[in-house]
Amino acid sequence: MLRPGALMRGMWTTFKSMFEKPVTVMYPQVKRPVSKRFKGRHELKRYDNGLEKCIGCALCAAACPADAIFVEASENTDEQRYSPGERYASTYEINFLRCIYCGFCEDACPTEAIVLGDNYELSYTNRSEAIYTREMLLVPVHPSAAPTPQKVAPGTFDRPIPEMEDPD
Amino acid sequence: MGVEQKLGNMGIVTHRLEDLVNWGRTRAMWPMLFGLACCAIEMMATQASNYDLSRFGMELMRPSPRQADLMIVAGRVSRKMAPVLRRLYDQMSAPNWVIAMGDCASCGGVFNNYAIVQGVDEIVPVDVYVAGCPPRPEALIHGIMTLHEKVKTETFKDWG
């Protein structure tokens, strides 16, 4: 049975939508802000004095469900100091094609060194490009801080895990 | 002394054929509707009006491989699915491209076991790998733009 009223009501909806504002986000030009809890590409953080937070304990690699992280530690000396404590991560590699961005590494890290950032633009033409090394993951040194390795006075940075204000 | 300088006053523009063909290919690259797992949800979201792949000339997801240029492998590929994927790839008419969307299609991701193909590049040649589990729609669009940059560098030799 033909019902012209119903047809017209449907066509009216179609007609109205011609004057609505488009919902499309013009992605490459306009980037929608990610949520606060978004997990994107990792970053290795530094302390305010420029020392790396990562102490090479490889707890992140142990916690990783996808085996995406590889850590190799080396010894710190007071002449060549990368991080507080005895050891630093001389090799730190994350395969971003294995990583599932679950944030378990962030939870496992005792020094809050590895943090998942908000970069999601990760596409590669080659699988080996997806393996990010330590230098690519480390955040740049703050202009007021010194780059690593630093030469420090003996006994200044003996403790690998800092005193945290709110340890959770 | 190029031919452009001689013909400059006549209102004729000359261009390299490679650039022109590659430009045409990047502007109308129809993807195949081939969702395998959770990444397919993000692929649908990319096609929908919020992100709108039509802006990149990808008007429709074609369900038939014979009408598609781009295969977006969205999701994990099990060993049983692998021959099907290869057959669909073979049915696509040249030139065709493959995007491995997400970790599982790129290298197996978290499923490092006997049932999942550890990366679809074991069975088909992959042009672009998109990281993410699953990638955001923006990340897939970024992968498509990476593919476009790759297609723009193709030469006569690559076409043959």
Side-chain angles (χ1 to χ4, degrees):
Chain A
M1 195 178 100
L2 189 67
R3 287 162 58 203
L7 180 70
M8 284 312 292
R9 211 159 55 238
M11 294 304 279
W12 176 242
T13 307
T14 313
F15 182 75
K16 265 196 306 189
S17 70
M18 290 200 296
F19 303 102
E20 283 171 8
K21 200 167 162 278
V23 293
T24 308
V25 182
M26 305 300 275
Y27 160 62
Q29 294 87 29
V30 182
K31 286 180 185 170
R32 177 179 281 182
V34 296
S35 74
K36 216 160 64 177
R37 297 174 60 233
F38 181 74
K39 297 187 183 103
R41 209 204 81 175
H42 305 64
E43 284 174 345
L44 283 172
K45 297 287 184 190
R46 290 175 189 270
Y47 290 110
D48 291 339
N49 62 358
L51 283 181
E52 296 158 21
K53 285 190 176 181
C54 180
I55 53 170
C57 66
L59 279 175
C60 47
C64 185
D67 279 345
I69 307 180
F70 173 71
V71 186
E72 201 173 54
S74 294
E75 295 278 328
N76 271 320
T77 56
D78 281 326
E79 282 74 43
Q80 297 256 313
R81 184 162 287 283
Y82 291 86
S83 69
E86 283 176 24
R87 302 193 300 167
Y88 72 102
S90 54
T91 308
Y92 196 104
E93 287 175 354
I94 300 183
N95 184 349
F96 281 110
L97 287 178
R98 278 275 172 203
C99 172
I100 57 165
Y101 307 90
C102 58
F104 283 12
C105 46
E106 203 177 356
D107 293 348
C109 187
T111 58
E112 296 177 354
I114 188 156
V115 173
L116 276 80
D118 52 8
N119 183 8
Y120 48 79
E121 291 172 330
L122 303 162
S123 51
Y124 314 96
T125 51
N126 193 336
R127 255 166 47 163
S128 57
E129 287 169 25
I131 300 171
Y132 279 50
T133 59
R134 174 176 168 277
E135 286 72 29
M136 296 154 92
L137 292 166
L138 271 171
V139 293
V141 189
H142 194 263
S144 63
T148 50
Q150 296 179 2
K151 190 171 160 50
V152 299
T156 326
F157 295 105
D158 281 346
R159 199 180 144 78
I161 295 175
E163 307 278 355
M164 288 186 195
E165 283 173 15
D166 184 21
D168 273 326
Chain B
M1 187 59 89
V3 82
E4 296 92 345
Q5 288 160 344
K6 288 187 177 162
L7 299 175
N9 298 332
M10 295 164 68
I12 297 172
V13 179
T14 59
H15 212 280
R16 289 199 307 166
L17 182 65
E18 284 170 348
D19 287 344
L20 200 68
V21 171
N22 288 338
W23 175 83
R25 283 177 175 179
T26 54
R27 259 54 182 180
M29 193 184 277
W30 285 15
M32 187 161 74
L33 186 63
F34 187 50
L36 288 168
C38 26
C39 278
I41 305 294
E42 299 292 317
M43 188 172 72
M44 287 178 233
T46 318
Q47 180 70 70
S49 48
N50 253 286
Y51 295 98
D52 199 11
L53 274 183
S54 306
R55 294 183 290 137
F56 299 89
M58 299 181 168
E59 295 298 334
L60 288 170
M61 293 269 183
R62 300 308 296 180
S64 164
R66 296 179 203 284
Q67 299 165 354
D69 306 304
L70 169 67
M71 180 192 242
I72 302 175
V73 185
R76 60 203 152 42
V77 182
S78 61
R79 295 255 169 227
K80 261 194 169 177
M81 196 65 188
V84 181
L85 190 139
R86 178 71 216 190
R87 185 170 177 181
L88 286 170
Y89 178 80
D90 289 339
Q91 283 175 341
M92 286 166 75
S93 53
N96 51 357
W97 297 274
V98 178
I99 288 182
M101 179 187 180
D103 287 5
C104 306
S106 300
C107 70
V110 75
F111 301 111
N112 191 359
N113 60 28
Y114 65 92
I116 304 295
V117 176
Q118 297 296 304
V120 285
D121 53 359
E122 287 184 15
I123 39 180
V124 291
V126 177
D127 293 291
V128 171
Y129 303 88
V130 182
C133 188
R136 288 169 70 91
E138 287 104 324
L140 178 60
I141 293 173
H142 187 262
I144 286 164
M145 290 193 302
T146 311
L147 179 69
H148 285 179
E149 292 305 313
K150 186 182 176 178
V151 169
K152 277 179 197 162
T153 60
E154 281 182 357
T155 55
F156 272 119
K157 213 171 76 183
D158 304 321
W159 298 348

